[in-house]
Amino acid sequence: MDRTAVIAVVGTCEPERRLHAQKIASETGFEVITAERLAIAMDPVREAMALIPWAQSDGVVVEYPIQAPILDVIGSLADPEEPTRLVDVVCVLDATHFFSELSRTDRVEHLQVHHGMPFRAVTARSLFAAQHLEYCSTALVVNGGNLPPEDDSLMVSVIGELSPLADVVRDAYRGHRSHTVEPEPHQESGSVATDHIELRHPGLRIRPGWVAHLNGQHTTPHRNPRVASMRYTNPRPFHPLRLQRVLDEYIEPGTGGSVIRSCGFCRLATRQGVTAQWSHAGGAMVIEPLARDDAAQEPLSFGQDIILTGVDLQPTRLTEALDEATLNDRELLSAPETWNVMPDPFPVWVTADERYD
């Protein structure tokens, strides 16, 4: 099967993304499919896959609108059944807005598919910004010429923490490598087993920083002593009301340091038997169900397993605050039925069937 080489261009700063997608197309001689063209479709990812085969050049630069989920983008382009070769995922980052984009709470409406059933969902812009960075293979930093050296160092170090395998380039794209991106065929024993894509290739690798930390495989050449990640673990489930208090009084206001991104697995006492994904960026927080416990296999997590990344973090203070949010001895030894009546301020988990209705 003849496959079309594809460079995916993502990013939440739309003018810069549009400009540099056009520049990459000009430099490579590839055709460009613009985000403006894709955004009019209900499903931008599927629309891109329909347009790519019509390209008259050797490759295509696809500029995806913000509402195209990055995991769907990569999954579609790397699908061995599709006539595409994903050669790069370029995240365009405006240095002047880097930290503000990771803290924006305005909502973006997008299509989401669960077990083949589509429904409309809304996600905070900061979560899109974090995921674009985590799942890129090239971080293209623009407009950083006037950034103070310390701010520049902090930015690059955060990029290294969130996307440790990404190439960090400045101002101009340096060209893609002639390599295909293929899903990792197997996982090492003891590694995190999730639906999240972890892609490897001798020339192009994608691995979110939080996954690398959970697997004990995180390395990056970009270091600033003020930027770090910490791992929080606790086998006890969270008391939802106390957890909300920690988020409001510690995480969001930066009481224990500026937590830019946190992601991992968690359990709520009121929602027994379910491992949830914890995903936070800036002022946005989502806890969504990932898997129900199955006696036939080991659960994704026995308790809390969360990576927190930020600037000037105070691990001891954050650990103590999160520990206070878990069930105490008396609550833990009480009948599990009593956990169900604990105050729970988090949104109800709605199934795909209920969303569809």
Side-chain angles (χ1 to χ4, degrees):
M1 179 192 300
D2 291 334
R3 298 182 183 275
T4 302
V6 179
I7 299 174
V9 180
V10 299
T12 55
C13 289
E14 292 154 10
E16 289 76 16
R17 185 192 65 217
R18 179 171 58 250
L19 172 63
H20 287 276
Q22 294 286 353
K23 285 186 175 181
I24 293 170
S26 177
E27 292 163 3
T28 58
F30 287 3
E31 291 185 32
V32 62
I33 298 174
T34 66
E36 183 179 14
R37 169 68 179 82
L38 297 179
I40 63 176
M42 180 179 180
D43 185 347
V45 175
R46 181 173 294 183
E47 182 72 5
M49 297 304 294
L51 293 174
I52 289 171
W54 295 94
Q56 299 300 307
S57 61
D58 292 335
V60 179
V61 174
V62 183
E63 179 208 356
Y64 286 93
I66 186 175
Q67 66 266 32
I70 186 64
L71 288 174
D72 293 347
V73 168
I74 297 175
S76 64
L77 295 173
D79 188 338
E81 299 299 318
E82 296 290 348
T84 51
R85 291 188 298 111
L86 179 58
V87 296
D88 211 347
V89 180
V90 181
C91 180
V92 180
L93 302 165
D94 186 341
T96 59
H97 303 144
F98 178 77
F99 287 103
S100 62
E101 285 294 309
L102 287 168
S103 63
R104 289 183 59 170
T105 56
D106 48 310
R107 304 280 171 168
V108 177
E109 185 175 334
H110 60 95
L111 183 73
Q112 190 166 323
V113 179
H114 186 70
H115 294 306
M117 188 172 293
F119 57 89
R120 304 303 295 182
V122 290
T123 298
R125 189 183 184 96
S126 61
L127 292 173
F128 274 112
Q131 289 185 341
H132 286 178
L133 177 52
E134 289 171 332
Y135 287 95
C136 77
S137 49
T138 297
L140 176 56
V141 180
V142 301
N143 302 332
N146 296 321
L147 210 62
E150 176 62 11
D151 291 349
D152 183 86
S153 175
L154 290 174
M155 175 187 65
V156 174
S157 294
V158 170
I159 294 172
E161 279 295 319
L162 298 185
S163 189
L165 300 182
D167 290 329
V168 181
V169 299
R170 307 270 187 168
D171 298 320
Y173 186 63
R174 296 177 181 173
H176 71 277
R177 303 179 181 89
S178 298
H179 294 293
T180 303
V181 182
E182 298 178 352
E184 176 69 4
H186 68 277
Q187 289 203 341
E188 298 176 8
S189 177
S191 64
V192 174
T194 76
D195 290 333
H196 291 277
I197 296 173
E198 181 172 334
L199 303 173
R200 294 181 185 173
H201 190 276
L204 186 61
R205 298 177 297 170
I206 297 175
R207 181 189 298 158
W210 68 273
V211 173
H213 275 296
L214 288 181
N215 287 339
Q217 299 170 337
H218 192 286
T219 59
T220 174
H222 310 293
R223 295 292 185 188
N224 181 297
R226 295 178 59 197
V227 176
S229 294
M230 59 168 281
R231 183 173 187 172
Y232 174 75
T233 60
N234 194 316
R236 301 185 180 209
F238 281 126
H239 186 295
L241 188 60
R242 294 203 294 269
L243 175 59
Q244 183 65 63
R245 197 171 300 141
V246 170
L247 296 173
D248 292 342
E249 297 178 4
Y250 282 85
I251 304 296
E252 187 170 349
T255 304
S258 177
V259 180
I260 295 170
R261 173 70 163 148
S262 60
C263 204
F265 306 112
C266 69
R267 286 180 178 257
L268 301 178
T270 51
R271 309 183 192 197
Q272 297 174 47
V274 176
T275 297
Q277 184 184 6
W278 168 303
S279 182
H280 151 267
M285 175 70 182
V286 175
I287 296 178
E288 295 182 322
L290 273 181
R292 185 169 292 280
D293 291 351
D294 183 343
Q297 57 186 349
E298 184 176 305
L300 283 174
S301 174
F302 290 100
Q304 324 306 335
D305 202 351
I306 304 163
I307 302 298
L308 299 92
T309 298
V311 179
D312 300 328
L313 294 186
Q314 301 175 39
T316 300
R317 192 170 189 180
L318 288 170
T319 298
E320 290 174 350
L322 288 166
D323 282 347
E324 287 293 322
T326 62
L327 297 190
N328 58 37
D329 291 345
R330 178 182 56 80
E331 292 165 335
L332 191 65
L333 294 174
S334 64
E337 293 78 12
T338 64
W339 300 359
N340 295 327
V341 297
M342 292 176 175
D344 187 340
F346 293 98
V348 174
W349 289 337
V350 181
T351 67
D353 290 337
E354 291 169 329
R355 289 179 188 269
Y356 190 75
D357 293 337

